[in-house]
Short mmCIF file of all heavy atoms in Angstrom, two decimals:
data_model
loop_
_atom_site.label_atom_id
_atom_site.label_comp_id
_atom_site.label_asym_id
_atom_site.label_seq_id
_atom_site.Cartn_x
_atom_site.Cartn_y
_atom_site.Cartn_z
N SER A 1423 -0.34 167.91 56.29
CA SER A 1423 0.84 168.28 55.55
C SER A 1423 1.64 169.35 56.27
O SER A 1423 2.87 169.40 56.16
CB SER A 1423 0.41 168.80 54.17
OG SER A 1423 -0.48 169.87 54.28
N PHE A 1424 0.98 170.22 57.02
CA PHE A 1424 1.72 171.28 57.71
C PHE A 1424 2.60 170.72 58.82
O PHE A 1424 3.59 171.32 59.22
CB PHE A 1424 0.75 172.32 58.31
CG PHE A 1424 -0.04 171.82 59.50
CD1 PHE A 1424 0.39 172.08 60.79
CD2 PHE A 1424 -1.19 171.07 59.31
CE1 PHE A 1424 -0.34 171.61 61.86
CE2 PHE A 1424 -1.92 170.63 60.39
CZ PHE A 1424 -1.48 170.89 61.66
N ILE A 1425 2.25 169.52 59.33
CA ILE A 1425 3.10 168.85 60.35
C ILE A 1425 4.20 168.05 59.66
O ILE A 1425 5.35 168.08 60.10
CB ILE A 1425 2.23 167.97 61.26
CG1 ILE A 1425 1.26 168.85 62.08
CG2 ILE A 1425 3.09 167.14 62.18
CD1 ILE A 1425 0.36 168.05 62.97
N GLU A 1426 3.84 167.38 58.60
CA GLU A 1426 4.81 166.53 57.92
C GLU A 1426 5.96 167.34 57.36
O GLU A 1426 7.09 166.85 57.26
CB GLU A 1426 4.12 165.75 56.80
CG GLU A 1426 3.09 164.73 57.32
CD GLU A 1426 2.39 164.02 56.18
OE1 GLU A 1426 2.66 164.39 55.03
OE2 GLU A 1426 1.62 163.10 56.45
N GLY A 1427 5.71 168.59 56.99
CA GLY A 1427 6.73 169.39 56.33
C GLY A 1427 7.46 170.33 57.25
O GLY A 1427 8.18 171.18 56.75
N SER A 1428 7.29 170.24 58.55
CA SER A 1428 7.89 171.24 59.45
C SER A 1428 8.41 170.57 60.70
O SER A 1428 7.65 169.93 61.43
CB SER A 1428 6.86 172.31 59.80
OG SER A 1428 7.38 173.18 60.80
N ILE A 1429 9.69 170.69 60.95
CA ILE A 1429 10.29 170.17 62.20
C ILE A 1429 9.74 170.96 63.38
O ILE A 1429 9.47 170.40 64.46
CB ILE A 1429 11.83 170.26 62.14
CG1 ILE A 1429 12.36 169.34 61.03
CG2 ILE A 1429 12.44 169.91 63.49
CD1 ILE A 1429 13.85 169.41 60.85
N ARG A 1430 9.57 172.26 63.20
CA ARG A 1430 9.05 173.09 64.29
C ARG A 1430 7.66 172.63 64.70
O ARG A 1430 7.37 172.52 65.89
CB ARG A 1430 9.03 174.56 63.84
CG ARG A 1430 8.49 175.53 64.90
CD ARG A 1430 8.50 176.94 64.42
NE ARG A 1430 9.86 177.38 64.13
CZ ARG A 1430 10.12 178.62 63.68
NH1 ARG A 1430 9.16 179.49 63.47
NH2 ARG A 1430 11.37 178.94 63.40
N SER A 1431 6.80 172.36 63.72
CA SER A 1431 5.44 171.91 64.03
C SER A 1431 5.47 170.57 64.75
O SER A 1431 4.73 170.34 65.69
CB SER A 1431 4.61 171.82 62.76
OG SER A 1431 4.53 173.10 62.13
N LYS A 1432 6.33 169.68 64.28
CA LYS A 1432 6.45 168.36 64.92
C LYS A 1432 6.92 168.50 66.37
O LYS A 1432 6.43 167.83 67.28
CB LYS A 1432 7.40 167.47 64.15
CG LYS A 1432 6.89 167.07 62.77
CD LYS A 1432 7.93 166.24 62.02
CE LYS A 1432 7.44 165.86 60.65
NZ LYS A 1432 8.46 165.11 59.87
N LEU A 1433 7.91 169.39 66.58
CA LEU A 1433 8.45 169.56 67.94
C LEU A 1433 7.39 170.14 68.86
O LEU A 1433 7.20 169.66 70.00
CB LEU A 1433 9.66 170.49 67.87
CG LEU A 1433 10.37 170.78 69.19
CD1 LEU A 1433 10.86 169.48 69.86
CD2 LEU A 1433 11.53 171.73 69.00
N ILE A 1434 6.66 171.16 68.40
CA ILE A 1434 5.60 171.77 69.22
C ILE A 1434 4.52 170.74 69.52
O ILE A 1434 4.05 170.62 70.65
CB ILE A 1434 5.04 173.01 68.52
CG1 ILE A 1434 6.11 174.11 68.44
CG2 ILE A 1434 3.81 173.55 69.28
CD1 ILE A 1434 5.66 175.32 67.65
N LEU A 1435 4.10 170.00 68.48
CA LEU A 1435 3.05 169.01 68.64
C LEU A 1435 3.48 167.93 69.65
O LEU A 1435 2.69 167.52 70.52
CB LEU A 1435 2.72 168.37 67.30
CG LEU A 1435 1.59 167.32 67.31
CD1 LEU A 1435 0.28 167.94 67.77
CD2 LEU A 1435 1.43 166.68 65.97
N PHE A 1436 4.73 167.48 69.55
CA PHE A 1436 5.22 166.46 70.47
C PHE A 1436 5.20 166.97 71.91
O PHE A 1436 4.76 166.27 72.84
CB PHE A 1436 6.62 166.04 70.09
CG PHE A 1436 7.28 165.14 71.11
CD1 PHE A 1436 6.93 163.81 71.22
CD2 PHE A 1436 8.26 165.64 71.96
CE1 PHE A 1436 7.53 163.01 72.16
CE2 PHE A 1436 8.85 164.85 72.92
CZ PHE A 1436 8.48 163.51 73.01
N LEU A 1437 5.70 168.19 72.14
CA LEU A 1437 5.73 168.74 73.48
C LEU A 1437 4.32 168.92 74.02
O LEU A 1437 4.07 168.64 75.22
CB LEU A 1437 6.47 170.09 73.48
CG LEU A 1437 7.99 170.00 73.21
CD1 LEU A 1437 8.58 171.38 73.11
CD2 LEU A 1437 8.70 169.20 74.30
N LEU A 1438 3.39 169.37 73.18
CA LEU A 1438 2.02 169.56 73.67
C LEU A 1438 1.38 168.22 74.03
O LEU A 1438 0.72 168.10 75.06
CB LEU A 1438 1.20 170.26 72.58
CG LEU A 1438 1.52 171.75 72.34
CD1 LEU A 1438 0.67 172.29 71.21
CD2 LEU A 1438 1.33 172.56 73.59
N ILE A 1439 1.60 167.23 73.16
CA ILE A 1439 1.01 165.90 73.45
C ILE A 1439 1.64 165.34 74.73
O ILE A 1439 0.94 164.73 75.57
CB ILE A 1439 1.24 164.95 72.26
CG1 ILE A 1439 0.38 165.42 71.07
CG2 ILE A 1439 0.88 163.54 72.62
CD1 ILE A 1439 0.61 164.62 69.81
N ALA A 1440 2.95 165.49 74.87
CA ALA A 1440 3.65 164.94 76.03
C ALA A 1440 3.16 165.56 77.33
O ALA A 1440 3.28 164.91 78.40
CB ALA A 1440 5.16 165.17 75.88
N ILE A 1441 2.62 166.75 77.29
CA ILE A 1441 2.16 167.41 78.51
C ILE A 1441 0.63 167.29 78.65
O ILE A 1441 0.10 166.93 79.71
CB ILE A 1441 2.57 168.90 78.52
CG1 ILE A 1441 4.11 169.00 78.52
CG2 ILE A 1441 2.00 169.59 79.72
CD1 ILE A 1441 4.78 168.36 79.71
N ILE A 1442 -0.07 167.60 77.56
CA ILE A 1442 -1.55 167.66 77.65
C ILE A 1442 -2.16 166.30 77.95
O ILE A 1442 -3.06 166.16 78.79
CB ILE A 1442 -2.13 168.25 76.34
CG1 ILE A 1442 -1.70 169.71 76.21
CG2 ILE A 1442 -3.65 168.13 76.35
CD1 ILE A 1442 -2.14 170.34 74.90
N VAL A 1443 -1.67 165.25 77.25
CA VAL A 1443 -2.27 163.94 77.45
C VAL A 1443 -2.13 163.44 78.90
O VAL A 1443 -3.12 163.05 79.51
CB VAL A 1443 -1.65 162.92 76.46
CG1 VAL A 1443 -2.11 161.50 76.76
CG2 VAL A 1443 -2.04 163.29 75.03
N PRO A 1444 -0.91 163.46 79.50
CA PRO A 1444 -0.84 163.01 80.90
C PRO A 1444 -1.64 163.89 81.87
O PRO A 1444 -2.30 163.36 82.77
CB PRO A 1444 0.67 163.09 81.21
CG PRO A 1444 1.33 163.04 79.90
CD PRO A 1444 0.42 163.74 78.95
N MET A 1445 -1.59 165.22 81.64
CA MET A 1445 -2.32 166.11 82.56
C MET A 1445 -3.83 165.89 82.41
O MET A 1445 -4.56 165.88 83.41
CB MET A 1445 -1.95 167.57 82.28
CG MET A 1445 -0.51 167.90 82.68
SD MET A 1445 -0.16 169.66 82.53
CE MET A 1445 -1.15 170.29 83.87
N THR A 1446 -4.30 165.76 81.17
CA THR A 1446 -5.73 165.53 80.97
C THR A 1446 -6.16 164.21 81.58
O THR A 1446 -7.20 164.10 82.24
CB THR A 1446 -6.05 165.57 79.47
OG1 THR A 1446 -5.63 166.82 78.90
CG2 THR A 1446 -7.54 165.40 79.25
N ALA A 1447 -5.34 163.18 81.36
CA ALA A 1447 -5.65 161.87 81.93
C ALA A 1447 -5.68 161.96 83.47
O ALA A 1447 -6.56 161.36 84.13
CB ALA A 1447 -4.64 160.84 81.49
N SER A 1448 -4.72 162.69 84.04
CA SER A 1448 -4.69 162.85 85.50
C SER A 1448 -5.95 163.55 86.03
O SER A 1448 -6.52 163.15 87.02
CB SER A 1448 -3.45 163.65 85.88
OG SER A 1448 -3.41 163.89 87.27
N ILE A 1449 -6.37 164.60 85.30
CA ILE A 1449 -7.54 165.34 85.73
C ILE A 1449 -8.80 164.48 85.65
O ILE A 1449 -9.64 164.45 86.54
CB ILE A 1449 -7.72 166.61 84.89
CG1 ILE A 1449 -6.60 167.63 85.22
CG2 ILE A 1449 -9.08 167.24 85.09
CD1 ILE A 1449 -6.64 168.87 84.38
N VAL A 1450 -8.91 163.72 84.53
CA VAL A 1450 -10.09 162.86 84.36
C VAL A 1450 -10.13 161.78 85.44
O VAL A 1450 -11.16 161.52 86.08
CB VAL A 1450 -10.09 162.22 82.96
CG1 VAL A 1450 -11.19 161.17 82.84
CG2 VAL A 1450 -10.26 163.32 81.91
N ILE A 1451 -8.97 161.13 85.67
CA ILE A 1451 -8.92 160.07 86.69
C ILE A 1451 -9.22 160.64 88.07
O ILE A 1451 -9.97 160.06 88.87
CB ILE A 1451 -7.54 159.37 86.67
CG1 ILE A 1451 -7.36 158.61 85.32
CG2 ILE A 1451 -7.39 158.43 87.83
CD1 ILE A 1451 -5.99 158.06 85.13
N SER A 1452 -8.60 161.81 88.34
CA SER A 1452 -8.84 162.44 89.65
C SER A 1452 -10.29 162.84 89.83
O SER A 1452 -10.87 162.70 90.91
CB SER A 1452 -7.95 163.69 89.79
OG SER A 1452 -6.59 163.35 89.72
N TYR A 1453 -10.90 163.27 88.71
CA TYR A 1453 -12.29 163.71 88.77
C TYR A 1453 -13.19 162.52 89.15
O TYR A 1453 -14.00 162.63 90.11
CB TYR A 1453 -12.74 164.28 87.43
CG TYR A 1453 -14.20 164.62 87.37
CD1 TYR A 1453 -14.68 165.81 87.92
CD2 TYR A 1453 -15.11 163.75 86.77
CE1 TYR A 1453 -16.01 166.11 87.88
CE2 TYR A 1453 -16.47 164.07 86.72
CZ TYR A 1453 -16.91 165.25 87.27
OH TYR A 1453 -18.23 165.55 87.23
N PHE A 1454 -13.04 161.42 88.46
CA PHE A 1454 -13.92 160.27 88.74
C PHE A 1454 -13.59 159.63 90.08
O PHE A 1454 -14.51 159.21 90.81
CB PHE A 1454 -13.82 159.24 87.61
CG PHE A 1454 -14.49 159.65 86.35
CD1 PHE A 1454 -13.77 160.06 85.25
CD2 PHE A 1454 -15.89 159.65 86.26
CE1 PHE A 1454 -14.39 160.45 84.08
CE2 PHE A 1454 -16.53 160.04 85.11
CZ PHE A 1454 -15.77 160.45 84.02
N TYR A 1455 -12.31 159.59 90.45
CA TYR A 1455 -11.97 159.03 91.75
C TYR A 1455 -12.52 159.91 92.86
O TYR A 1455 -13.09 159.42 93.84
CB TYR A 1455 -10.46 158.89 91.85
CG TYR A 1455 -10.00 158.41 93.21
CD1 TYR A 1455 -10.10 157.07 93.56
CD2 TYR A 1455 -9.48 159.31 94.16
CE1 TYR A 1455 -9.70 156.64 94.82
CE2 TYR A 1455 -9.08 158.87 95.40
CZ TYR A 1455 -9.17 157.52 95.74
OH TYR A 1455 -8.77 157.09 96.97
N THR A 1456 -12.31 161.23 92.71
CA THR A 1456 -12.79 162.15 93.74
C THR A 1456 -14.32 162.13 93.79
O THR A 1456 -14.93 162.25 94.87
CB THR A 1456 -12.31 163.58 93.41
OG1 THR A 1456 -10.90 163.58 93.27
CG2 THR A 1456 -12.70 164.53 94.53
N GLN A 1457 -14.94 161.97 92.62
CA GLN A 1457 -16.39 161.90 92.59
C GLN A 1457 -16.90 160.72 93.41
O GLN A 1457 -17.85 160.87 94.22
CB GLN A 1457 -16.86 161.76 91.14
CG GLN A 1457 -18.36 161.87 90.95
CD GLN A 1457 -18.73 161.74 89.47
OE1 GLN A 1457 -18.38 160.79 88.82
NE2 GLN A 1457 -19.43 162.74 88.96
N ASP A 1458 -16.28 159.57 93.24
CA ASP A 1458 -16.67 158.39 94.01
C ASP A 1458 -16.42 158.62 95.51
O ASP A 1458 -17.24 158.24 96.35
CB ASP A 1458 -15.89 157.17 93.54
CG ASP A 1458 -16.29 156.75 92.13
OD1 ASP A 1458 -17.37 157.14 91.71
OD2 ASP A 1458 -15.50 156.07 91.47
N GLN A 1459 -15.27 159.25 95.81
CA GLN A 1459 -14.98 159.51 97.22
C GLN A 1459 -15.96 160.48 97.82
O GLN A 1459 -16.40 160.33 98.98
CB GLN A 1459 -13.57 160.08 97.34
CG GLN A 1459 -12.45 159.08 96.99
CD GLN A 1459 -12.43 157.92 97.98
OE1 GLN A 1459 -12.80 156.81 97.65
NE2 GLN A 1459 -11.98 158.19 99.19
N VAL A 1460 -16.36 161.50 97.04
CA VAL A 1460 -17.31 162.48 97.54
C VAL A 1460 -18.67 161.85 97.80
O VAL A 1460 -19.32 162.10 98.81
CB VAL A 1460 -17.43 163.66 96.52
CG1 VAL A 1460 -18.66 164.51 96.83
CG2 VAL A 1460 -16.19 164.51 96.58
N ILE A 1461 -19.09 160.98 96.86
CA ILE A 1461 -20.39 160.31 97.04
C ILE A 1461 -20.33 159.42 98.30
O ILE A 1461 -21.27 159.44 99.13
CB ILE A 1461 -20.70 159.45 95.80
CG1 ILE A 1461 -20.96 160.39 94.60
CG2 ILE A 1461 -21.91 158.57 96.06
CD1 ILE A 1461 -21.19 159.66 93.30
N GLU A 1462 -19.26 158.67 98.44
CA GLU A 1462 -19.14 157.80 99.59
C GLU A 1462 -19.14 158.57 100.89
O GLU A 1462 -19.83 158.22 101.87
CB GLU A 1462 -17.86 156.98 99.46
CG GLU A 1462 -17.67 155.96 100.57
CD GLU A 1462 -16.39 155.16 100.39
OE1 GLU A 1462 -15.84 155.17 99.26
OE2 GLU A 1462 -15.95 154.52 101.37
N GLU A 1463 -18.36 159.67 100.92
CA GLU A 1463 -18.30 160.49 102.10
C GLU A 1463 -19.64 161.18 102.39
O GLU A 1463 -20.08 161.31 103.53
CB GLU A 1463 -17.20 161.54 101.96
CG GLU A 1463 -17.06 162.50 103.13
CD GLU A 1463 -16.73 161.78 104.46
OE1 GLU A 1463 -16.11 160.68 104.40
OE2 GLU A 1463 -17.09 162.31 105.52
N SER A 1464 -20.27 161.65 101.30
CA SER A 1464 -21.56 162.33 101.46
C SER A 1464 -22.62 161.38 102.00
O SER A 1464 -23.40 161.72 102.90
CB SER A 1464 -22.01 162.92 100.12
OG SER A 1464 -23.25 163.54 100.25
N VAL A 1465 -22.63 160.14 101.49
CA VAL A 1465 -23.59 159.15 101.98
C VAL A 1465 -23.34 158.85 103.46
O VAL A 1465 -24.28 158.80 104.28
CB VAL A 1465 -23.50 157.85 101.15
CG1 VAL A 1465 -24.29 156.72 101.80
CG2 VAL A 1465 -24.01 158.11 99.74
N ARG A 1466 -22.09 158.67 103.83
CA ARG A 1466 -21.75 158.32 105.20
C ARG A 1466 -22.13 159.46 106.16
O ARG A 1466 -22.78 159.24 107.19
CB ARG A 1466 -20.27 158.00 105.33
CG ARG A 1466 -19.85 157.60 106.75
CD ARG A 1466 -18.42 157.08 106.79
NE ARG A 1466 -17.48 158.02 106.27
CZ ARG A 1466 -16.85 157.87 105.08
NH1 ARG A 1466 -17.10 156.83 104.33
NH2 ARG A 1466 -15.99 158.77 104.66
N SER A 1467 -21.71 160.70 105.81
CA SER A 1467 -21.98 161.82 106.71
C SER A 1467 -23.47 162.13 106.80
O SER A 1467 -24.01 162.40 107.90
CB SER A 1467 -21.20 163.07 106.23
OG SER A 1467 -21.64 163.45 104.94
N ASN A 1468 -24.17 162.07 105.67
CA ASN A 1468 -25.59 162.38 105.68
C ASN A 1468 -26.42 161.27 106.34
O ASN A 1468 -27.44 161.55 106.99
CB ASN A 1468 -26.11 162.61 104.24
CG ASN A 1468 -25.78 163.99 103.72
OD1 ASN A 1468 -26.37 164.98 104.13
ND2 ASN A 1468 -24.79 164.07 102.85
N THR A 1469 -25.98 160.05 106.21
CA THR A 1469 -26.66 158.95 106.92
C THR A 1469 -26.56 159.14 108.43
O THR A 1469 -27.55 158.99 109.17
CB THR A 1469 -26.06 157.59 106.50
OG1 THR A 1469 -26.26 157.41 105.08
CG2 THR A 1469 -26.76 156.46 107.22
N ASN A 1470 -25.36 159.47 108.88
CA ASN A 1470 -25.17 159.72 110.33
C ASN A 1470 -26.00 160.94 110.79
O ASN A 1470 -26.61 160.91 111.87
CB ASN A 1470 -23.69 159.94 110.65
CG ASN A 1470 -22.86 158.70 110.41
OD1 ASN A 1470 -23.36 157.59 110.49
ND2 ASN A 1470 -21.60 158.88 110.15
#
């Protein structure tokens, strides 16, 4: 109800979602991609 009754709350919530969701998704994707890359690189360098 505090969001439904306030334009200010809706505006703040929209701006936060518009920034937090993409940035969080980017961090998560980067984390798992980098993790795979690190494992691959670690296996290659340590095998050599």
Side-chain angles (χ1 to χ4, degrees):
S1423 57
F1424 72 96
I1425 294 178
E1426 294 178 356
S1428 173
I1429 295 177
R1430 179 180 299 180
S1431 299
K1432 292 177 182 177
L1433 181 59
I1434 294 175
L1435 181 63
F1436 171 76
L1437 291 175
L1438 290 177
I1439 292 176
I1441 298 300
I1442 293 176
V1443 172
M1445 292 187 68
T1446 303
S1448 176
I1449 290 176
V1450 172
I1451 294 172
S1452 298
Y1453 174 80
F1454 286 106
Y1455 175 78
T1456 306
Q1457 188 180 55
D1458 293 339
Q1459 292 295 108
V1460 166
I1461 293 175
E1462 183 179 344
E1463 177 61 28
S1464 179
V1465 169
R1466 182 171 55 252
S1467 61
N1468 280 286
T1469 299
N1470 294 335

